[in-house]
Amino acid sequence: MTKDQFLLPEDVTYLDGNSLGPLPKTVADRVMRTLQDEWGQMVIGGWNRAGWMAQPGILGDRLGRLIGAPKHTVVLGDTLSVKVYQALASALDMRPDRRIVLSDNGNFPTDLYMADGLIKTLDRGHELKVVEPETVADAIDETVAVLMLTHVDYRTGRMHDMVELTAKAHAAGAVVIWDLAHSAGAVPVDLTACQAEFAIGCTYKYLNGGPGAPAFIYVRPDLADHINPALAGWLGHDAPFAFEQNYRPAQGITRMRVGTPPVIQMAALEASMDIWDQVNMSDIRAQSIALSELFIQLVEASCPQLTLASPRDPEKRGSQVSFRFDHGYAAMQALIAAGVTGDFRAPDIMRFGFAPLYNDKADVKRAVAILADILENRIWDQPKFMVKAAVT
Amino acid sequence: MTKDQFLLPEDVTYLDGNSLGPLPKTVADRVMRTLQDEWGQMVIGGWNRAGWMAQPGILGDRLGRLIGAPKHTVVLGDTLSVKVYQALASALDMRPDRRIVLSDNGNFPTDLYMADGLIKTLDRGHELKVVEPETVADAIDETVAVLMLTHVDYRTGRMHDMVELTAKAHAAGAVVIWDLAHSAGAVPVDLTACQAEFAIGCTYKYLNGGPGAPAFIYVRPDLADHINPALAGWLGHDAPFAFEQNYRPAQGITRMRVGTPPVIQMAALEASMDIWDQVNMSDIRAQSIALSELFIQLVEASCPQLTLASPRDPEKRGSQVSFRFDHGYAAMQALIAAGVTGDFRAPDIMRFGFAPLYNDKADVKRAVAILADILENRIWDQPKFMVKAAVT
């Protein structure tokens, strides 16, 4: 039972760990130590004495275990958007004669935006080709330079087959980038088996690293010494403290580091990784499927107004379930007001994330009971639930 | 007297705020509030209810006052390296017919590395021309697309004349980027008077935002709506939560935001900005000059082994003083061991930063007395002081 390890808001059933995971109880002490004992007492000495400088690699190794990445192939830093740019720039550099970046409209928008920004910056006639998720496999051909996909769709939870699509892309000579934002800590991932060249993700969703926690990037170990970093920052330099005038990339994954790492955010993430170090992803997956199956069953039995937007087959679904409802925005606001936190994604998707570290069957039953009441009694149909906040 | 507002290590005279500022005493409580009351109690709701999403702009406005930037022209996020890339990519895009990026060898290496990475990525024949700081003015001509300089040299504290060089660059048709890493909170800066197109900087040095605190970027207000962001992240989108497939930049400085902001780091920075809100940069500058003048006078009187590396004229110096010494590395290690923290930069520079918020004349006198003793008695000439740590 790990629910005790989290501080959850009282009287709230929290089903939004796919957006922001809750606070592990040990985070406060761990962050205090970094503030008071490290920053306060060591000041600049903290970079060595408290190990701040090594932390992006150490945390990368710990996280790597959850996604099937060998040691020294994952590093933390920046935001997911920046990591997309790094991965895609290096990937395109590996296929200079091709011009297509293939993605799908289930990719998180920032991945597409960053690709668009890079393509405009390159100004060499690249094209971002965005297809329906179901047609990705058919769209792979020998014009594709890079296949860039989010493994688990942020809207519906639909999950791509990483191994199959990667193999197909490789057969066509394309480089592959997987965004694991909704996968790391949610579903088992085996990057070694998959053989994709790059993977990226964030740590503030299922990994509970806290708001603004750093992103991660994986580079396949045989490639790491050969890629050209577009974001050639000093902490990716082979000798950052020699202050040489010319850039020489560090060996291995370290070259994907850019600037000064976010020490305080990393302290919070470290406390969360203490929990994850004890976790077996197969167990998490089994519990996640049990919760999402129960949720679908109960919603379909008691909320006829809603239509399942997620794949019915649990093998094709991540650790979230989404339903469509025309009044989904208002219904979600009413649900949140009643003590069940999910979220809404335009135009009509009500999203519910399941995180076995702190969600159990009682949560599922309570959430559905309250949801059914809101729908049956049209509690959502009040002006106060219609007003859109800046962030949903 | 603001020294009370900082937690400084006992028995240490801290003269390294030019590298990492010390801990403001209010940071711990402020960060705890973000962890326990915001993340813990609001979880995802913190983005709106705790104002996390607006914080990069709010902090930007507060910081802007210290560098002569109007409201809504500065935004926080990412690292300085990433901000260099953003500024330079947009700047080069503004001068498509020119190919020279002019900088000097007093620029911090990561600025040069990031420029190099961008130039390689663009692959359109740009050239990074790095001259001696003294010859920058003469090197400005009509081939220069972008003049990109660090205002205060990280090694020597030598300070460029921002207004004069910007005017000269503009007369030649070049775009100007100033790196204010060693200026913000150290010396008065007036970006409005200077008229440079871009400025960037970090907040963990004189601004005491903590290890890994976010960087900032300024864009001249008349330009902000017209520049093309190379790093086209979702939080720079005009409607990030509409999850549109195509990128449309937000109005104004917001388009320079990229990914999810580092909420915990921003909480620490906010506590530090509470101190800075009360500060007049002219007062800071007067006290800084008094401290650095005293330091030079005392070192030259009692440490004949050292040679001044900084400009003697305080008007041409930032808020640090550097001396050259062949055994500077070992001498700095001995000094740190004796309770005076400065730092060392290859090949032979001993650096001392002066931050009037927490440094006073007694600090200067103590530091020089201990330094003189170390030099006179060759205390530095011990094997334990020769071993180089990974980070100095």
Side-chain angles (χ1 to χ4, degrees):
Chain A
M1 181 61 181
T2 52
K3 199 167 187 167
D4 296 347
Q5 297 182 262
F6 294 86
L7 192 149
L8 291 154
E10 251 181 275
D11 303 321
V12 169
T13 296
Y14 193 72
L15 302 179
D16 204 15
N18 50 311
S19 191
L20 179 67
L23 174 67
K25 284 181 182 166
T26 53
V27 164
D29 281 352
R30 181 64 194 85
V31 170
M32 275 305 98
R33 202 173 87 212
T34 288
L35 295 178
Q36 307 280 34
D37 302 346
E38 297 174 8
W39 180 13
Q41 292 303 318
M42 303 174 189
V43 208
I44 189 67
W47 287 110
N48 279 319
R49 287 168 57 203
W52 297 341
M53 196 49 84
Q55 192 72 307
I58 292 170
L59 287 171
D61 284 348
R62 294 171 70 178
L63 191 160
R65 188 185 69 85
L66 303 174
I67 53 175
K71 294 241 181 239
H72 311 308
T73 61
V74 177
V75 75
L76 274 287
D78 305 300
T79 63
L80 178 51
S81 299
V82 170
K83 285 339 202 185
V84 168
Y85 192 89
Q86 281 189 294
L88 185 58
S90 291
L92 288 175
D93 182 64
M94 291 165 65
R95 292 295 179 274
D97 298 332
R98 297 189 180 193
R99 288 290 174 274
I100 303 292
V101 178
L102 179 62
S103 191
D104 69 29
N105 59 26
N107 207 342
F108 191 71
T110 206
D111 296 46
L112 304 177
Y113 302 162
M114 293 301 289
D116 182 61
L118 175 59
I119 285 170
K120 284 180 181 149
T121 299
L122 291 172
D123 194 22
R124 291 204 279 280
H126 289 92
E127 182 198 336
L128 176 60
K129 188 171 172 184
V130 179
V131 301
E132 294 291 326
E134 296 71 22
T135 65
V136 167
D138 290 339
I140 294 170
D141 63 28
E142 297 193 352
T143 66
V144 175
V146 180
L147 174 65
M148 180 181 84
L149 296 170
T150 295
H151 181 215
V152 175
D153 188 312
Y154 75 105
R155 302 163 309 175
T156 64
R158 176 203 39 73
M159 187 161 64
H160 278 306
D161 186 324
M162 283 177 66
V163 171
E164 189 181 300
L165 285 174
T166 302
K168 180 145 195 200
H170 283 174
V175 178
V176 179
I177 302 172
W178 286 105
D179 180 340
L180 304 177
H182 292 265
S183 309
V187 296
V189 171
D190 187 346
L191 285 171
T192 297
C194 162
Q195 282 294 301
E197 285 83 352
F198 299 92
I200 51 186
C202 66
T203 63
Y204 52 74
K205 295 177 185 290
Y206 293 93
L207 295 176
N208 311 311
F216 67 86
I217 186 166
Y218 158 89
V219 179
R220 208 177 63 196
D222 61 304
L223 294 171
D225 285 343
H226 307 291
I227 54 172
N228 295 317
L231 302 180
W234 70 308
L235 291 186
H237 191 282
D238 196 44
F241 292 93
F243 300 101
E244 296 170 7
Q245 191 169 308
N246 295 312
Y247 181 72
R248 289 189 294 115
Q251 292 301 294
I253 191 65
T254 303
R255 69 178 60 184
M256 298 314 264
R257 288 178 65 165
V258 185
T260 305
V263 171
I264 308 175
Q265 302 277 165
M266 290 193 302
L269 178 59
E270 185 181 65
S272 178
M273 290 309 296
D274 290 343
I275 298 174
W276 281 104
D277 284 348
Q278 309 303 319
V279 167
N280 181 316
M281 280 308 300
S282 303
D283 296 343
I284 290 282
R285 178 63 170 161
Q287 294 172 61
S288 157
I289 289 177
L291 293 174
S292 61
E293 289 287 280
L294 177 63
F295 183 78
I296 292 172
Q297 179 202 325
L298 294 178
V299 170
E300 295 197 324
S302 59
C303 307
Q305 303 88 342
L306 304 190
T307 309
L308 183 65
S310 301
R312 192 166 296 276
D313 178 356
E315 297 301 325
K316 297 190 170 157
R317 210 166 60 212
S319 198
Q320 67 168 77
V321 171
S322 301
F323 281 90
R324 293 188 190 278
F325 178 46
D326 283 348
H327 308 285
Y329 182 82
M332 183 54 74
Q333 298 313 302
L335 192 61
I336 292 169
V340 178
T341 305
D343 63 20
F344 174 80
R345 288 292 176 259
D348 61 356
I349 286 182
M350 300 178 72
R351 277 202 316 185
F352 302 89
F354 299 95
L357 287 188
Y358 51 83
N359 291 142
D360 54 26
K361 290 191 178 179
D363 289 335
V364 170
K365 290 174 191 169
R366 178 173 183 268
V368 179
I370 294 174
L371 176 61
D373 178 61
I374 286 168
L375 295 170
E376 191 177 332
N377 296 300
R378 292 181 67 95
I379 293 173
W380 56 265
D381 195 9
Q382 300 176 39
K384 68 177 174 182
F385 295 133
M386 311 283 179
V387 181
K388 295 218 178 188
V391 186
T392 59
Chain B
M1 180 60 180
T2 52
K3 197 167 188 166
D4 296 347
Q5 296 181 263
F6 293 87
L7 193 149
L8 291 153
E10 251 181 274
D11 304 322
V12 168
T13 296
Y14 193 72
L15 301 178
D16 206 15
N18 50 311
S19 191
L20 179 67
L23 173 68
K25 284 181 182 166
T26 53
V27 163
D29 281 353
R30 181 65 194 82
V31 170
M32 274 307 97
R33 202 173 87 214
T34 289
L35 296 178
Q36 306 279 36
D37 302 346
E38 297 175 8
W39 179 14
Q41 291 303 318
M42 304 174 188
V43 208
I44 189 68
W47 288 110
N48 280 319
R49 288 168 58 203
W52 298 341
M53 197 49 85
Q55 193 71 306
I58 292 169
L59 287 171
D61 284 349
R62 293 171 71 179
L63 191 161
R65 189 185 68 84
L66 303 174
I67 54 174
K71 294 242 182 239
H72 312 306
T73 62
V74 177
V75 75
L76 274 285
D78 305 299
T79 64
L80 178 50
S81 299
V82 169
K83 285 338 202 184
V84 168
Y85 192 90
Q86 282 189 295
L88 185 57
S90 291
L92 288 175
D93 182 63
M94 292 165 64
R95 293 294 179 274
D97 298 332
R98 297 190 180 192
R99 286 292 173 272
I100 302 292
V101 177
L102 179 62
S103 190
D104 69 29
N105 58 27
N107 207 341
F108 190 70
T110 205
D111 296 45
L112 303 178
Y113 302 162
M114 293 302 288
D116 183 59
L118 175 59
I119 285 171
K120 284 181 181 148
T121 299
L122 291 172
D123 194 22
R124 292 204 280 279
H126 288 93
E127 181 197 336
L128 176 60
K129 188 171 170 183
V130 179
V131 302
E132 294 292 325
E134 297 71 22
T135 66
V136 167
D138 291 340
I140 295 170
D141 61 29
E142 298 192 353
T143 66
V144 176
V146 180
L147 174 65
M148 180 182 85
L149 295 169
T150 295
H151 180 215
V152 175
D153 188 313
Y154 76 104
R155 302 163 310 176
T156 64
R158 176 202 40 71
M159 187 160 66
H160 277 307
D161 186 323
M162 281 178 66
V163 172
E164 189 180 300
L165 285 174
T166 302
K168 181 145 195 203
H170 284 174
V175 177
V176 179
I177 302 171
W178 286 105
D179 179 340
L180 303 178
H182 292 265
S183 309
V187 297
V189 170
D190 188 345
L191 285 171
T192 298
C194 162
Q195 283 293 301
E197 285 83 354
F198 299 92
I200 49 184
C202 66
T203 63
Y204 52 75
K205 297 178 183 289
Y206 292 94
L207 294 177
N208 311 312
F216 65 86
I217 186 165
Y218 158 90
V219 178
R220 208 175 65 194
D222 60 305
L223 294 171
D225 284 343
H226 307 291
I227 55 172
N228 295 317
L231 302 181
W234 71 308
L235 291 187
H237 192 282
D238 195 44
F241 293 92
F243 301 103
E244 298 170 5
Q245 192 169 307
N246 294 311
Y247 181 72
R248 289 188 296 114
Q251 293 299 294
I253 191 66
T254 304
R255 71 178 60 184
M256 298 314 262
R257 287 178 65 164
V258 185
T260 304
V263 171
I264 308 174
Q265 301 279 165
M266 290 194 303
L269 177 60
E270 185 181 64
S272 179
M273 291 308 297
D274 290 342
I275 299 175
W276 280 105
D277 284 349
Q278 309 303 319
V279 165
N280 179 316
M281 281 307 301
S282 303
D283 296 343
I284 289 282
R285 178 63 171 161
Q287 293 172 59
S288 157
I289 288 178
L291 293 174
S292 62
E293 288 288 280
L294 177 63
F295 184 76
I296 292 172
Q297 181 201 323
L298 293 178
V299 170
E300 294 197 323
S302 60
C303 307
Q305 302 87 342
L306 304 190
T307 309
L308 184 65
S310 301
R312 191 167 294 279
D313 178 357
E315 297 301 324
K316 297 191 170 156
R317 211 166 59 213
S319 199
Q320 67 167 77
V321 171
S322 301
F323 281 90
R324 292 188 191 280
F325 178 45
D326 282 348
H327 308 285
Y329 181 82
M332 183 54 76
Q333 297 313 305
L335 193 61
I336 292 168
V340 179
T341 304
D343 64 19
F344 174 81
R345 286 294 176 257
D348 61 355
I349 286 181
M350 300 177 73
R351 273 200 322 182
F352 302 90
F354 299 96
L357 286 188
Y358 51 84
N359 291 142
D360 55 26
K361 291 191 177 178
D363 289 336
V364 171
K365 289 175 191 169
R366 178 173 183 268
V368 180
I370 293 173
L371 176 61
D373 178 59
I374 285 169
L375 295 171
E376 192 178 330
N377 296 302
R378 293 182 65 96
I379 292 171
W380 55 265
D381 194 7
Q382 299 177 38
K384 67 178 175 182
F385 294 133
M386 311 283 179
V387 181
K388 295 215 179 189
V391 186
T392 60

